[in-house]
Amino acid sequence: MLIKHKAFSLLFFIVYSLLLASAFFQDAVLYQVARPFMVLSLLIYFIVKIKLKGRFHKRLFIGLLFAFLADLLLAFYKNSASLSVYTYSAYSLAAIFYIRAFYLDFRSAQELDKRGARIGIACCTILGMGFYIYLRPHVREEVFAVMLATFLICMLLMMSIFRNQRVNKISFNLILAGCICLALTLALFAIKQFVVPFTGAHLVVFTGYLLGQYLIVMGGIERHLIHK
């Protein structure tokens, strides 16, 4: 997969390295330039490769657009508390459009892999509820935000699992891996924010988030429906 997209992947991971370096050395200027560029580059490459044909790719594109907007706000106004609600809303909308895109694949053949769907529902429900119960004693004013974020990430994981046997294997694996990265990123961010800050949290969260977005975009580009 990387060979097929080697030129873009090389450029992406070079800028990715610059972003991690800017976070590590606390270079605000490099950070402000590099962070929004990452998702913007994914947006541009996605359009070039796919031409936004079909509802799946259009919904994935809109999700990326909201992720880019959130990154833009976070990069240039990260110290502005008044914009936190807008950033959170943009990330939530990105997740919602990803979920809607994955639902289209599930709906193409709902009768398939019912056992896998039940396992996915059970695992995501248990993990989501368990994580929320773990966080709840540490959360005060942000209870609703944490609850919504946990619900959305569980839905994102479930819908990515529901694509099994409905799309080609490479697309399924890439998008599932990307959603797992985003889920782990959210969990680590929540632990850092509400429970206990830990060394290197900033770098780990960036790494997981950007890798997740990259894998989802590559999975979207490689997607082919098996059942129509």
Side-chain angles (χ1 to χ4, degrees):
M1 188 274 297
L2 289 177
I3 295 175
K4 194 173 179 181
H5 305 280
K6 61 182 179 181
F8 172 76
S9 295
L10 179 62
L11 175 62
F12 183 87
F13 284 106
I14 287 173
V15 182
Y16 193 4
S17 301
L18 289 174
L19 178 60
L20 293 177
S22 71
F24 182 78
F25 293 108
Q26 298 183 342
D27 187 328
V29 175
L30 183 58
Y31 172 87
Q32 287 177 336
V33 173
R35 175 162 186 138
F37 178 79
M38 299 301 296
V39 178
L40 179 62
S41 66
L42 290 172
L43 272 168
I44 295 171
Y45 192 68
F46 191 68
I47 294 172
V48 170
K49 297 297 290 186
I50 296 299
K51 307 294 189 299
L52 299 185
K53 295 178 181 177
R55 289 182 297 167
F56 176 90
H57 295 109
K58 288 176 182 175
R59 291 181 183 183
L60 206 60
F61 171 78
I62 294 172
L64 274 170
L65 205 56
F66 278 115
F68 170 64
L69 175 61
D71 281 350
L72 204 60
L73 291 171
L74 197 59
F76 288 94
Y77 302 99
K78 61 178 180 178
N79 296 321
S80 175
S82 61
L83 283 173
S84 60
V85 64
Y86 299 111
T87 305
Y88 176 81
S89 298
Y91 280 131
S92 297
L93 286 168
I96 288 169
F97 274 96
Y98 287 168
I99 291 167
R100 294 185 68 213
F102 303 158
Y103 175 72
L104 289 174
D105 287 347
F106 166 69
R107 202 175 66 178
S108 67
Q110 297 183 42
E111 70 282 358
L112 293 178
D113 195 27
K114 292 183 178 180
R115 181 174 178 272
R118 287 193 293 269
I119 293 173
I121 291 170
C123 289
C124 291
T125 301
I126 292 169
L127 288 173
M129 290 181 65
F131 187 68
Y132 178 76
I133 291 169
Y134 165 71
L135 279 183
R136 183 65 185 86
H138 306 279
V139 179
R140 297 180 182 177
E141 296 85 0
E142 303 90 346
V143 172
F144 176 75
V146 170
M147 188 184 299
L148 179 60
T150 304
F151 172 75
L152 286 177
I153 206 67
C154 286
M155 286 297 297
L156 188 69
L157 278 172
M158 278 194 288
M159 281 300 150
S160 65
I161 292 170
F162 288 176
R163 299 175 71 246
N164 189 37
Q165 297 184 13
R166 297 163 177 87
V167 297
N168 54 319
K169 204 68 178 175
I170 184 67
S171 176
F172 172 77
N173 289 336
L174 286 171
I175 285 179
L176 178 59
C179 291
I180 290 172
C181 283
L182 293 184
L184 291 174
T185 298
L186 177 66
L188 288 172
F189 176 79
I191 291 170
K192 175 187 80 74
Q193 195 78 4
F194 301 112
V195 184
V196 56
F198 57 93
T199 305
H202 198 55
L203 292 173
V204 173
V205 168
F206 279 157
T207 300
Y209 168 73
L210 292 173
L211 182 60
Q213 295 287 14
Y214 171 82
L215 291 170
I216 288 172
V217 168
M218 290 298 124
I221 292 172
E222 294 295 325
R223 167 192 177 263
H224 297 291
L225 271 179
I226 296 175
H227 299 276
K228 297 184 180 180

